[in-house]
Amino acid sequence: MRKVKVAFFAEILIADFDGAARTMFQLFERIDHERFEFLFICASGPDQIFGFDCLKIPSLRIPFNRNYVIGMPGRAPEGTWEKLDHFAPDLVHIATPSFLGHFALKYARGKSLPVTSIYHTHFVSYIAYYLKYLPFLIKPVVSLTRKYQNEFYDQCDKVYIPSTSIAKELVEAGMSPKNMKIWKRGMDTGLFSPGKKDENYLQTLTGNSNPTILFASRLVWEKNLETLISIYELVRAGGLSYNFIVVGDGVARKDCEARMPGAIFPGRLGHEQLSVLYASASVFVFPSVSETFGNVVLEAMASGLVPVVADGGGSRDFIEEGENGYKCSPYEAAAYVEKIREVIENPSLQARLSQNAVQYSQSYDWDELARVYFSDLIALTAPIEKLELEN
């Protein structure tokens, strides 16, 4: 049987760079080399990914988030697109509706190739943060973003949506449901588990044995960090002897450190260190409403850490209220503090929620999700293969 050739377009293909990259690399690790051949095209990444070539194109850094880049396909080195033509893909996968994504969509449509995409980033939820000093622009920019986003995804043959909440929101905003497929995320329960608990590690970090509130994410304002800071301030004002650990890095880190002077900022941690913190802390707080899925929440749950999260974005789909965690009105810091105290001050409740969180997380299996994805690629390219055989 001939291999299915996939041209995979993404801005950043660096393992563990962010949640989107981790999702993509979980798929890459499971590529059947006897059944598939991939060609990667990116703005930032290695020369090869699991034995497949990766073509890199010039990029520009995003002014308001210097960690991210935008690929510039019009400035690609001579011969780049000839290499793509020579590869002769059967299917195109597009990570993001960026300049590179639109180039890839136009390329695929010009050659009548099927297109798949995973809805990684909920861009609309970022706009209010980026335009907070120009509030009169928020509504028109949101409308324009939704228009172009809907037009882009409606031209794809399959769009994988990570949560039912996000799918519902997208449909209500005008995106067609005809090509949507709920496709969640998996969890490495060998890496993230209650067995990683290490109280000595936690005490070394905090200098005490007090309860610990943990937050982990990129430190960018669109993660609703203002509410996180307010939660910290209420905890301090209430005289609560809780440690506050903020894991991650980003453009907002210095401001967060200045406004949360008693919090611990260990920076960006690898999965091994983070898994120990998850398993050893008391409560995981996550006020972000910009997540399409919320990998860190599921990682915390798999580690037995009780989550208190925003009732918004994809993360809320994990939570069965009062059974495996709590959901709060996204911007009401007092509501988070109330639930945090409830968990910390009631050990039997904490133990029950923790056990249920672990049990819930075990239903997320990367092997099954990868099987679904690769089966879809084969199904989408089957008409092409049939046509080639007939000719």
Side-chain angles (χ1 to χ4, degrees), residues 301-323:
M301 294 175 75
S303 305
L305 185 57
V306 178
V308 177
V309 308
D311 189 7
S315 302
R316 63 182 163 188
D317 285 7
F318 303 142
I319 308 302
E320 297 175 33
E321 186 70 12
E323 292 298 322

Side-chain angles (χ1 to χ4, degrees), residues 22-36:
R22 286 194 291 274
T23 295
M24 290 185 282
F25 273 81
Q26 288 289 348
L27 292 175
F28 302 160
E29 289 174 8
R30 291 167 171 81
I31 295 172
D32 181 349
H33 286 235
E34 294 184 359
R35 191 69 187 87
F36 293 94

Side-chain angles (χ1 to χ4, degrees), residues 193-194 196-203 205-206 208-216 242-247 273-285 300-301 303-307 340 343-344 350-351 354:
S193 77
K196 295 292 185 70
K197 185 173 183 178
D198 186 340
E199 292 180 354
N200 290 331
Y201 174 82
L202 191 61
Q203 287 186 25
L205 189 62
T206 63
N208 60 61
S209 57
N210 295 335
T212 296
I213 300 167
L214 177 66
F215 170 88
Y242 300 161
N243 299 311
F244 220 105
I245 299 179
V246 179
V247 176
Q273 288 177 289
L274 185 55
S275 67
V276 175
L277 270 182
Y278 281 141
S280 306
S282 308
V283 174
F284 187 73
V285 63
M301 294 175 75
S303 305
L305 185 57
V306 178
I340 289 168
V343 173
I344 289 175
Q350 185 176 14
S354 172

Side-chain angles (χ1 to χ4, degrees), residues 29-73:
E29 289 174 8
R30 291 167 171 81
I31 295 172
D32 181 349
H33 286 235
E34 294 184 359
R35 191 69 187 87
F36 293 94
E37 187 174 350
F38 273 66
L39 177 68
F40 297 101
I41 302 95
C42 70
S44 179
D47 293 329
Q48 282 204 333
I49 297 175
F50 292 102
F52 298 112
D53 289 340
C54 183
L55 305 180
K56 285 180 283 188
I57 64 170
S59 63
L60 293 175
R61 291 206 172 273
I62 299 176
F64 42 79
N65 192 339
R66 301 290 294 174
N67 292 325
Y68 281 81
V69 296
I70 299 175
M72 307 299 290

